[in-house]
Amino acid sequence: MRRRIVAGNWKMHGSVAENTTLVDKLLQGFPADAGADCYVCPPFVYLRGVARQLDGSAIRVGAQDASAEIQGAYTGEVAAGMLADVGCSAVIVGHSERRTLHHDSDQLVARKFMAVQAAGLTPILCVGEQLGQRESKQTEQVVGRQLDAVLDLVGVAALGKAILAYEPVWAIGTGRTATPQQAEDVHHFIRKRIAALDGKIAGLVPVLYGGSVKAANAGELFAMPNVDGGLIGGASLNAEEFLAILQAART
Ligand code: 13P
């Protein structure tokens, strides 16, 4: 059985005061036997504070991005080793907002993936198509290309220590969720593509779904055989909602 995972991507939201309250509520409501691994991914500046507050709990901390470089004159960048230093255990790479708004190419995402693993952290690699690409039936081509860029650089074995997330861009922050079958179809495609290289790794790597996941739709999405949990945006800012999604991920 693959691990179930629920990760909250806070994006560029929060403040010291708001995060403290949110994390307090998560800690209060967090079940002793969650049945799924849980991550929260605050903005860079809050990572250390949130990691300290979560110290000793089962909730892990992830970052939303990392530099592809190890260190040096890269003003504004944050190295994966620094993220490990402040208590992160995972890093999102290739989020669609990075790919579209910040022009992270498939190759740059692959290098970030490699840098994250080199720092001993778990990459959460996001892939997903835009609406026009889905409508012109290019979903598999786009997702396959995004995946291949990473496989080409790091090799399939590296996916044994990674988390994947399928996030259709048209479903992010729009309230328009992929149907469970739409999600399952792409998750199955991803697993098949990895299985062509290594069946064991394909069976092990968790593939999360992200895009307008809420407590109300999480159960039906997580019930699909190839959906191993969720990468949650907006709903992860509300403790009750996020804990209810975590509850839905119980096997
Ligand atoms: P929403 O859940 O707000 O649609 O965001 C999904 C996402 O981008 C998580 O990384």
Side-chain angles (χ1 to χ4, degrees), residues 47-160:
L47 286 168
R48 181 131 170 92
V50 170
R52 282 188 166 176
Q53 204 181 344
L54 287 173
D55 195 27
S57 83
I59 306 176
R60 302 174 202 179
V61 179
Q64 299 173 17
D65 191 32
S67 174
E69 308 296 339
I70 293 170
Q71 67 169 14
Y74 301 100
T75 301
E77 290 277 86
V78 178
M82 297 171 181
L83 299 172
D85 191 32
V86 296
C88 286
S89 52
V91 183
I92 298 170
V93 295
H95 192 279
S96 74
E97 287 147 22
R98 298 293 321 173
R99 291 180 189 266
T100 52
L101 303 174
H102 302 275
H103 312 291
D104 282 15
S105 66
D106 294 342
Q107 286 66 32
L108 180 60
V109 171
R111 290 179 53 228
K112 289 183 173 185
F113 182 105
M114 190 162 75
V116 168
Q117 281 195 332
L121 304 180
T122 303
I124 303 175
L125 171 67
C126 299
V127 295
E129 83 288 2
Q130 300 189 354
L131 182 59
Q133 293 167 329
R134 171 162 284 266
E135 286 172 347
S136 56
K137 307 210 179 311
Q138 290 178 295
T139 299
E140 294 191 352
Q141 191 186 322
V142 171
V143 169
R145 191 195 68 218
Q146 292 170 338
L147 199 56
D148 285 354
V150 174
L151 289 167
D152 288 348
L153 187 69
V154 299
V156 66
L159 291 197

Side-chain angles (χ1 to χ4, degrees), residues 196-209:
L197 301 169
D198 189 320
K200 188 156 171 255
I201 300 273
L204 280 176
V205 62
V207 187
L208 315 184
Y209 168 79

